[in-house]
């Protein structure tokens, strides 16, 4: 055997050293003269070619799934889509800040609404069936996280849901949560009823009948549209009383009659404050427009989700769509700051771009895209909302803070806030609204151009 090995070894070495010469030898003719018709004649490189092609295909697929498409997004059902959604920013850090920083009535109510939208979206008015059998949703063995967090902060032994000597509307921001809690504990329903009675009977009214935002003077602030009408509408569903939903709509109309700008470059946007005090503010505060628009969206969604109002209030729904559209159109028209964020006062180029109004108006666009896709599912609104969301998201730090955010207690301060409790809640609303739009199949999936 050793002899055989020794005899073969030099032969191989020889071939290696003179490859040119081997062309003429009979030893390996197949490698050079092969034909497609004779498989046996194919060289290895040709025989394996399909495997290379397949391998490249697999690589592209893996790359696409993992890096181009979102890796985890499971679109097989709404629930799995929500469970696997990538918000692209630290939304749980923002949630922590919203819960941690909120102290005023409207901040607490807004944070609870935001967390409900994030964690229990099916029970909010944006859910697929938020009023099973035309009733508000029940609380199971475990309360919703937002309600666990909020319930001890709601006052159940007084006329309003939160101590506030100054504001009329703001304590009503706790009204939806109180009504939901009333499903478990009747004292919350009683408290919500007293809050409703205070608003409709005792609270000061503007000359046109709009419920004042403040106690000592009758004054209209765009902010109030996020506090009062969504509560009245939701409470109306709980009480099976459509007149309250009509009252919610009427209050929005009365606010709009006074605050909406009717001509000029800011047409359709809302002024911030109209009233007799020194706080009157003709400017179109970005956050104020967002409060008004998102409040209208919540009422619009409530109307649609509840069968009786959905059937009866066709005209009101159309009007809300138009009024919400006016604010979005105004925001889009005046959106010219190079930061990509909306200016703190829309249409006033002396103001910096900031995250609070921008994120809640992006949320407004996403919600309307699902509610009225024929109008708001258009590229014009969807790609604008995506750009605003991305401009906000890239300014959210690891602690969940979005900056620069307007000082929520000094809306005309040229100095942004260190942190904004309501601004943090708006981030959750923006994230949840985008997610629900993607999961509804209206907004494009992230990564799909
Ligand atoms: C979520 O999306 C962002 C931005 O597209 C990306 O950088 C991040 O890796 C994604 N996170 C996960 C867990 O996929
Ligand atoms: C209700 O709250 C006010 C302060 O907002 C307080 O002065 C009043 O005593 C309270 N009433 C009751 C019955 O607790």
């Amino acid at each position: 055997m050793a002899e055989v090995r020794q005899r073969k070894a030099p032969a191989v070495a020889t071939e290696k050293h003179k490859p040119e010469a081997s062309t003429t030898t009979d030893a390996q003719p197949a490698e050079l003269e092969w034909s497609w018709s004779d498989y046996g004649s194919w060289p290895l490189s040709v025989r394996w070619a399909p495997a290379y092609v397949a391998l490249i295909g697999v690589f592209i697929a893996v790359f696409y799934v993992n890096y181009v498409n979102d890796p985890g997004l499971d679109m097989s059902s709404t629930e799995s889509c929500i469970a696997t959604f990538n918000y692209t920013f630290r939304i749980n850090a923002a949630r922590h800040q919203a819960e941690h920083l909120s102290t005023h009535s409207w901040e607490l109510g807004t944070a609870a609404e935001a967390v409900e939208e994030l964690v229990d979206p099916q029970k909010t008015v944006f859910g697929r069936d938020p009023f099973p059998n035309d009733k508000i949703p029940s609380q199971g063995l475990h309360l919703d996280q937002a309600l666990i967090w909020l319930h001890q902060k709601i006052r159940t032994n007084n006329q309003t849901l939160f101590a506030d000597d100054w504001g009329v509307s703001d304590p009503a921001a706790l009204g939806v949560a109180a009504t939901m809690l009333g499903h478990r504990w009747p004292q919350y329903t009683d408290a919500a009823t007293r809050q409703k009675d205070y608003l409709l009977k005792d609270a000061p009214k503007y000359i046109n009948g709009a419920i004042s935002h403040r106690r000592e003077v009758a004054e209209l602030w765009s902010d109030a549209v996020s506090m009062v009408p969504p509560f009245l509408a939701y409470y109306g569903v709980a009480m099976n009383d459509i007149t309250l939903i009509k009252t919610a709509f009427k209050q929005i109309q009365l606010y709009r009659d006074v605050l909406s700008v009717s001509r000029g470059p800011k047409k359709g946007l809302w002024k911030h404050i109209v009233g007799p005090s020194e706080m009157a503010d003709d400017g179109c505060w970005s956050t104020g427009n967002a409060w008004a628009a998102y409040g209208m969206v919540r009422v619009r969604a409530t109307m649609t989700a509840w069968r009786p109002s959905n059937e009866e209030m066709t005209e009101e729904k159309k009007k809300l769509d138009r009024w919400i559209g006016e604010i979005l159109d105004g925001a889009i028209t005046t959106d010219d700051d190079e930061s990509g964020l909306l200016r703190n006062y829309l249409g006033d180029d002396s103001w910096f771009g900031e995250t609070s109004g921008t994120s809640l108006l992006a949320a407004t666009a996403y919600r309307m895209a699902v509610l009225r896709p024929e109008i708001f599912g258009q590229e014009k609104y969807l790609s604008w909302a995506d750009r605003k969301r991305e401009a906000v998201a890239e300014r959210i730090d690891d602690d969940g803070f979005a900056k620069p955010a307007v000082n929520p207690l000094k809306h005309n301060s040229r100095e942004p806030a260190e942190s904004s409790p309501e601004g943090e809640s708006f981030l959750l609303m923006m994230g949840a609204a985008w997610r629900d739009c993607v999961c509804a199949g209206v907004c494009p999936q992230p990564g799909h151009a």
Side-chain angles (χ1 to χ4, degrees):
M1 290 303 280
E3 211 179 316
V4 175
R5 231 185 282 137
Q6 274 187 356
R7 233 183 25 209
K8 278 195 170 171
V12 172
T14 310
E15 275 167 28
K16 268 190 186 166
H17 283 106
K18 27 179 215 168
E20 302 305 331
S22 72
T23 55
T24 51
T25 67
D26 294 340
Q28 299 169 317
E31 286 210 4
L32 297 138
E33 293 166 37
W34 54 276
S35 107
W36 284 114
S37 57
D38 177 9
Y39 178 79
S41 74
W42 294 9
L44 286 184
S45 58
V46 174
R47 289 188 201 184
W48 283 100
Y52 289 131
V53 171
L55 213 63
I56 288 167
V58 166
F59 178 77
I60 289 172
V62 167
F63 180 83
Y64 183 76
V65 165
N66 282 294
Y67 300 99
V68 179
N69 199 350
D70 194 282
L73 191 64
D74 176 354
M75 289 289 287
S76 55
S77 72
T78 309
E79 290 72 22
S80 61
C81 176
I82 289 171
T84 56
F85 196 76
N86 177 355
Y87 297 87
T88 75
F89 66 92
R90 301 200 61 184
I91 199 162
N92 284 315
R95 172 186 173 180
H96 169 79
Q97 303 301 356
E99 292 177 335
H100 180 67
L101 296 169
S102 295
T103 53
H104 300 96
S105 56
W106 79 88
E107 292 167 348
L108 293 165
T110 302
E113 169 69 21
V115 172
E116 189 78 5
E117 289 180 16
L118 181 66
V119 180
D120 288 295
Q122 71 287 359
K123 289 202 191 159
T124 71
V125 294
F126 304 114
R128 214 178 325 154
D129 184 21
F131 302 127
N133 301 315
D134 303 330
K135 296 200 170 51
I136 64 166
S138 57
Q139 293 293 321
L141 223 46
H142 299 286
L143 281 182
D144 295 350
Q145 291 180 21
L147 300 181
I148 293 176
W149 172 75
L150 188 68
H151 78 285
Q152 286 182 321
K153 302 176 175 73
I154 296 178
R155 187 165 73 167
T156 56
N157 64 351
N158 209 309
Q159 193 180 24
T160 59
L161 297 170
F162 204 85
D164 192 338
D165 295 337
W166 188 88
V168 168
S169 324
D170 289 336
L174 301 164
V176 170
T179 308
M180 293 179 88
L181 285 161
H183 204 279
R184 175 77 72 82
W185 293 297
Q187 68 265 33
Y188 283 96
T189 306
D190 298 343
T193 303
R194 285 192 299 274
Q195 174 70 64
K196 181 265 301 178
D197 288 338
Y198 169 72
L199 292 170
L200 298 185
K201 295 178 188 151
D202 300 335
K205 308 288 187 308
Y206 198 66
I207 40 175
N208 69 351
I211 297 165
S212 173
H213 181 67
R214 290 178 61 186
R215 280 181 183 259
E216 80 262 38
V217 289
E219 195 163 75
L220 304 188
W221 294 42
S222 50
D223 315 37
V225 176
S226 258
M227 318 307 163
V228 174
F231 161 54
L232 292 178
Y234 198 86
Y235 179 87
V237 173
M239 295 297 141
N240 192 28
D241 184 355
I242 198 169
T243 59
L244 284 165
I245 304 182
K246 292 181 177 172
T247 304
F249 173 81
K250 184 76 186 166
Q251 282 296 319
I252 291 173
Q253 185 170 38
L254 297 173
Y255 263 78
R256 179 178 169 278
D257 286 347
V258 173
L259 295 180
S260 177
V261 177
S262 55
R263 62 183 83 84
K266 290 186 263 187
K267 185 170 184 296
L269 291 170
W270 287 30
K271 299 173 202 167
H272 186 200
I273 302 168
V274 170
S277 87
E278 74 294 342
M279 300 200 76
D281 178 5
D282 263 357
C284 298
W285 188 38
S286 176
T287 300
N289 275 273
W291 282 126
Y294 204 70
M296 287 195 274
V297 169
R298 289 172 63 192
V299 172
R300 171 66 168 82
T302 310
M303 269 181 198
T304 310
W306 196 50
R307 191 184 44 80
S309 48
N310 191 41
E311 287 170 2
E312 198 178 316
M313 302 184 71
T314 319
E315 284 310 307
E316 287 89 342
K317 283 186 288 179
K318 275 191 208 151
K319 283 185 179 152
L320 286 177
D321 292 347
R322 186 154 58 77
W323 300 343
I324 294 161
E326 286 170 357
I327 291 182
L328 287 177
D329 290 344
I332 292 171
T333 310
T334 55
D335 176 12
D336 62 358
D337 189 48
E338 60 192 21
S339 66
L341 302 170
L342 299 175
R343 297 180 189 279
N344 185 44
Y345 278 87
L346 302 171
D348 181 343
D349 61 15
S350 73
W351 279 94
F352 59 89
E354 67 85 46
T355 54
S356 292
T358 308
S359 37
L360 193 55
L361 281 167
T364 300
Y366 287 131
R367 291 298 183 193
M368 287 312 290
V370 175
L371 282 167
R372 274 305 294 280
E374 321 86 276
I375 303 173
F376 298 93
Q378 291 176 50
E379 179 70 13
K380 169 186 170 187
Y381 294 105
L382 287 188
S383 66
W384 178 79
D386 282 343
R387 288 197 305 279
K388 296 308 102 182
R389 172 180 53 77
E390 284 161 12
V392 171
E394 69 191 30
R395 290 178 172 83
I396 301 174
D397 66 20
D398 284 351
D399 296 324
F401 286 118
K403 291 175 181 173
V406 62
N407 184 333
L409 304 179
K410 278 176 141 187
H411 42 83
N412 53 4
S413 167
R414 298 274 170 181
E415 196 66 38
E418 258 317 299
S419 62
S420 167
E422 67 196 33
E424 294 299 297
S425 293
F426 298 161
L427 300 180
L428 311 188
M429 289 166 156
M430 177 182 77
W434 176 42
R435 173 201 66 199
D436 291 352
C437 186
V438 170
C439 295
V442 176
C443 286
Q445 279 179 52
H448 286 240

